[in-house]
Amino acid sequence: MNRTPEQVTAPRRDGRQATRIPMLAAGHAGVDVYQGAVPALVPFLVAERGYGYVAASGIVLAATLLSSVVQPVFGALADRWRMPWLIPVSMATAGLGVALSGVAGSYVLTWLAVALSGLGVAAYHPESARLARIASEGSHVRMSWFSLGGTLGFACAPILVTRLLSAGGLGASPWLVVPGLLGAALTVTVLGSLAGRDGGGAARHAGGRDDWPAFTRLTLVIVCRSVAYVGLSAFVALYLGGGAAGAVALFVLFGGGAVGTVVGGRLAGRWGRVRTMWLAYAAAVPAMAGVVLAPGWTAYAFVAAASITLYVPFSLHVTLGQDFLPNRVGTASGVTLGLAVSVGGLTSPLVGALAEATSLGLALGVLAAFPALSCLLARTLTDPAPVAGQVGR
């Protein structure tokens, strides 16, 4: 059969290449279960141990404080050395911390166990995002599928945690190590082939000038988004009644994020990344206000809308950050992918304190101001020129 010149010269993708992003996405789901698990643990800690709003938000802080501090460090290390072995180790560490949190004998030990999980999450994201960039060959859509894996891990976490702990109480938490171990096993199957391509992939994406002012503004966009999303995820279950109603709220919140992640990659191809980002954050403002203002079960529709709009820019943060810092892809990945889901926990105790001083509804309502700030900051950015080899689709 005659073939066109394009068919002759086009690289052929073997079966292993086709499965790299799906396998990395599955591993991403295995580790990000633990970021979704911590908010799902909060109602059980409140019910069985009598924690107040401030104590409960302190547990969310434990999962994010150490993670936020060390994540850029792991990103810088990923820029200097190849550390694929760190990915499965970090996944097992994230699972171990959450598994121990339910059987820890005191608040301090519970806090430390959750902090250990946060450390594992911090170690995972920079190196995994760098390798995902190589596996995706610069495609926004493929990177959105990698990000989708983490979002699905979030979405599954409240159902998994609620069903398990409703049946066995906090004492059943050691079973929560299983997703991390399974995710690590899946990821290991593709690490060898990606590590072999690492030199060429890194060289292809390096080059050009690092735009630190633009990257700093992008980081502020992510910080404001994170405050809104983490605050909502920490308290929406309690606000809508806890128990089964709270689990449904978290599932809607995290499931909506899965939709937003996929939609974001598609919209970026049509509108551009920066325009997609600020439009999504503009739409997030009324969606978050509706969570508090809408009556009864209609609040769940606004939870979904808030989640979708806050997650549309999620994978775009990663590729924008990597393009703003083409010579420091690991650092960019550590800040954008890790910081996006961790730094908001640093402010969650303030949200809890405001809830105790006023009401939980008012505290959640205040969070609507943060996507508005993200929108304003995003308007100051422009899409960087595509790096060599990036397909943008």
Side-chain angles (χ1 to χ4, degrees):
M1 181 178 67
N2 293 331
R3 294 191 293 168
T4 66
E6 290 80 3
Q7 289 173 314
V8 172
T9 58
R12 299 181 65 182
R13 295 175 62 84
D14 59 29
R16 287 181 301 174
Q17 286 177 306
T19 60
R20 283 169 182 156
I21 284 294
M23 297 295 275
L24 288 174
H28 197 182
V31 75
D32 275 6
V33 160
Y34 301 112
Q35 299 201 71
V38 174
L41 278 169
V42 166
F44 291 93
L45 293 172
V46 170
E48 294 191 28
R49 298 183 181 176
Y51 292 169
Y53 288 140
V54 173
S57 61
I59 296 299
V60 178
L61 175 66
T64 57
L65 177 61
L66 188 60
S67 177
S68 297
V69 171
V70 304
Q71 194 119 217
V73 175
F74 282 113
L77 292 175
D79 285 329
R80 294 177 63 89
W81 296 288
R82 301 172 185 172
M83 300 185 294
W85 56 267
L86 184 62
I87 296 177
V89 170
S90 63
M91 297 170 80
T93 301
L96 179 64
V98 168
L100 294 175
S101 65
V103 295
S106 67
Y107 182 84
V108 172
L109 291 178
T110 301
W111 198 96
L112 291 173
V114 174
L116 177 66
S117 180
L119 179 63
V121 170
Y124 169 84
H125 280 103
E127 181 70 9
S128 66
R130 187 174 61 84
L131 292 181
R133 175 76 173 218
I134 295 169
S136 69
E137 299 172 336
S139 166
H140 303 325
V141 172
R142 291 178 202 157
M143 278 298 289
S144 74
W145 285 109
F146 171 71
S147 299
L148 174 64
T151 308
L152 290 177
F154 269 114
C156 292
I159 302 301
L160 172 65
V161 171
T162 300
R163 289 181 65 89
L164 179 66
L165 300 190
S166 293
L170 290 173
S173 67
W175 287 102
L176 293 173
V177 75
V178 172
L181 297 180
L182 290 177
L186 290 172
T187 303
V188 164
T189 63
V190 299
L191 287 183
S193 61
L194 287 177
R197 296 179 60 207
D198 186 56
R204 181 171 64 252
H205 294 302
R209 183 178 63 87
D210 290 334
D211 189 346
W212 284 102
F215 183 77
T216 300
R217 294 196 298 275
L218 176 65
T219 300
L220 292 175
V221 169
I222 296 169
V223 167
C224 292
R225 179 262 183 200
S226 180
V227 170
Y229 186 79
V230 176
L232 189 63
S233 66
F235 294 107
V236 71
L238 290 173
Y239 180 72
L240 293 179
V248 170
L250 287 176
F251 180 77
V252 170
L253 182 72
F254 299 151
V259 175
T261 301
V262 175
V263 170
R266 300 290 180 180
L267 292 179
R270 177 176 299 179
W271 294 344
R273 288 174 291 180
V274 169
R275 185 184 181 198
T276 298
M277 183 167 59
W278 68 256
L279 285 173
Y281 285 131
V285 176
M288 290 198 66
V291 173
V292 177
L293 299 176
W297 285 88
T298 58
Y300 288 91
F302 285 95
V303 171
S307 179
I308 291 170
T309 52
L310 288 173
Y311 258 95
V312 161
F314 187 65
S315 66
L316 309 183
H317 294 155
V318 183
T319 59
L320 277 169
Q322 291 172 338
D323 287 348
F324 284 139
L325 300 184
N327 300 300
R328 293 174 174 81
V329 171
T331 298
S333 301
V335 173
T336 56
L337 186 59
L339 193 66
V341 290
S342 63
V343 74
L346 301 178
T347 61
S348 60
L350 298 178
V351 179
L354 179 61
E356 289 190 346
T358 57
S359 69
L360 188 53
L362 178 61
L364 290 176
V366 168
L367 293 177
F370 289 91
L373 291 174
S374 290
C375 176
L376 293 174
L377 288 165
R379 292 296 301 268
T380 69
L381 298 172
T382 57
D383 268 291
V387 297
Q390 179 171 300
V391 298
R393 290 182 292 118

